[in-house]
Amino acid sequence: MKFGIIAGNGRFPVLALETARKEGHECVAFAIREEAAPEVEKAAARSHWISLGDLTRLIDLCHEEGITQIMMAGQVKHTKIFSAIRPDWRLAKLLAAVATKNTDSLIGAVQKVLSDEGVNLVDSTLLLKSLLAPEGAITKRRLDSGELRDAEYGRRIAHVLASMDLGQSVAIADRACVALEAMEGTDAMLRRAASLVEGKPLRLVKASSRRRHLLFDVPVIGPGTIDVMVETGTTALVVDAGRTLMLDREILVDKANAAKIAIAGMGALEKQ
């Protein structure tokens, strides 16, 4: 099959493109100039570099390439909305029309524009289902009783946060919510939390939105997540099973095991 991939930052788009090639799919990368890594070009059948504001050019390129299915892979920092990037006329019109500039509103509006042009947004994890976090213990060390209590408490908060489209992660210490993620991202949130607890161990809880689809804003963890956890004294990580991508999983788990960090995937909150 032929896919387009809108490539943001991180390893996600590169892994998606490499997997597509191995499986015999033709993938064209639309690499976000302000975000994507040069490796995207090597992994794609063809690549086009576009600015974050170039919605019209994205649509024109999809038509030229014969792309009718496109997926989003990799993060685009939400703070870019408030940067000096200049939207083209189509994106400017879209931004003026949305009631709120959160992820659901913005991407939902882009999805509608693409659909009207015959380009359908598809599941971001379509090519990487094997990288979704399983349910249960992922590392050698399991959550201890204190970590489990913090995780259960943190999940309730994190899912409310995600359902409001504000962020995906919370930092918990001794059944108290220390920090909530917003635009700054998980790493910055953890560092902020560590500055507040005076050495008390933190637990990181990452939740996905309760929307049924995985078209965008899929939670992602990778080896870098573990590095920041070690730096901030975070002893456990809990994610939504089946809805969180684990990039470079073997390296991630090896790092966590070496640091005696516990990672677990948990099922739908309603089951808890």
Side-chain angles (χ1 to χ4, degrees):
M1 293 186 68
K2 189 173 186 178
F3 296 102
I5 292 184
I6 301 172
N9 65 42
R11 288 274 293 150
F12 183 0
V14 176
L15 288 173
L17 287 163
E18 290 175 347
T19 302
R21 175 174 289 179
K22 289 175 184 175
E23 294 181 357
H25 302 302
E26 182 182 358
C27 269
V28 178
F30 302 99
I32 303 298
R33 196 181 308 279
E34 297 84 4
E35 298 283 1
E39 289 78 13
V40 165
E41 286 191 334
K42 299 176 184 177
R46 285 177 305 287
S47 58
H48 302 276
W49 288 88
I50 61 174
S51 172
L52 194 56
D54 290 339
L55 181 55
T56 300
R57 183 158 182 260
L58 171 63
I59 291 169
D60 290 344
L61 287 170
C62 283
H63 290 163
E64 289 175 19
E65 289 281 0
I67 298 292
T68 59
Q69 296 189 84
I70 196 165
M71 66 187 69
M72 294 184 171
Q75 183 189 42
V76 173
K77 295 182 181 68
H78 204 129
T79 51
K80 296 290 187 183
I81 298 168
F82 302 100
S83 73
I85 293 171
R86 296 178 61 185
D88 66 12
W89 69 268
R90 196 189 298 260
L91 184 59
K93 183 179 178 181
L94 182 153
L95 290 172
V98 295
T100 58
K101 292 181 180 178
N102 58 19
T103 306
D104 274 357
S105 295
L106 289 170
I107 304 300
V110 169
Q111 180 185 10
K112 174 66 165 57
V113 171
L114 290 174
S115 178
D116 289 345
E117 293 288 339
V119 182
N120 296 311
L121 197 61
V122 298
D123 183 349
S124 289
T125 68
L126 184 65
L127 301 172
L128 297 174
K129 295 296 185 185
S130 63
L131 300 185
L132 291 172
E135 190 163 354
I138 295 170
T139 48
K140 291 179 181 177
R141 188 175 77 76
R142 294 173 177 268
L143 274 68
D144 64 29
S145 58
E147 291 167 338
L148 184 58
R149 283 194 300 271
D150 282 350
E152 290 171 344
Y153 168 63
R155 290 194 86 210
R156 295 196 298 272
I157 300 171
H159 275 277
V160 170
L161 189 71
S163 69
M164 296 294 290
D165 198 24
L166 298 174
Q168 297 177 330
S169 303
V170 297
I172 307 294
D174 194 18
R175 284 166 288 173
C177 183
V178 180
L180 307 173
E181 177 191 6
M183 287 190 183
E184 78 272 38
T186 303
D187 293 352
M189 184 272 295
L190 272 183
R191 291 185 175 109
R192 175 163 53 88
S195 73
L196 300 172
V197 295
E198 298 182 346
K200 186 176 290 187
L202 292 166
R203 332 306 188 179
L204 173 61
V205 180
K206 205 168 185 67
S208 62
S209 168
R210 294 188 181 186
R211 69 174 84 91
R212 292 185 178 181
H213 65 73
L214 292 173
L215 298 180
F216 53 83
D217 211 25
V218 179
V220 175
I221 60 173
T225 308
I226 305 304
D227 293 338
V228 177
M229 290 179 68
V230 171
E231 173 193 334
T232 56
T234 306
T235 66
L237 167 60
V238 173
V239 299
D240 282 359
R243 298 182 66 83
T244 305
L245 283 169
M246 300 179 62
L247 304 186
D248 298 311
R249 176 173 171 167
E250 186 175 339
I251 298 171
L252 182 157
V253 173
D254 284 348
K255 279 192 169 188
N257 285 334
K260 294 184 169 53
I261 286 172
I263 304 176
M266 292 189 177
L269 191 64
E270 291 75 15
K271 296 179 182 178
Q272 303 304 313

